[in-house]
Amino acid sequence: MLAYTGAAIVESACTSIPVASQMIGTDGLIADPGVREQIGKVLALLAEAYEEVTGLDRGQRP
């Protein structure tokens, strides 16, 4: 579907992470450690896919 944009779907990072209102702290950030861990794992998978596609390490710019 997004081939015309050059986008790549990272299937391993596709997930659903439910976030209930009571999981949000007074600062507006997600306070639930389990949800934060799940989000961290997804971000790590996306970063890994980026590195594979671009050949760049995290922090490098194209």
Side-chain angles (χ1 to χ4, degrees):
M1 282 189 228
L2 297 174
Y4 70 94
T5 66
I9 305 298
V10 182
E11 293 289 339
S12 61
C14 295
T15 189
S16 174
I17 304 172
V19 180
S21 60
Q22 61 267 29
M23 296 174 170
I24 307 296
T26 56
D27 57 3
L29 301 176
I30 296 173
D32 183 89
V35 171
R36 293 173 66 101
E37 181 179 349
Q38 289 179 41
I39 293 170
K41 288 178 181 178
V42 168
L43 291 174
L45 290 168
L46 291 172
E48 182 180 312
Y50 173 81
E51 291 172 3
E52 289 176 11
V53 169
T54 64
L56 298 174
D57 290 330
R58 294 176 204 175
Q60 286 184 314
R61 293 182 183 221

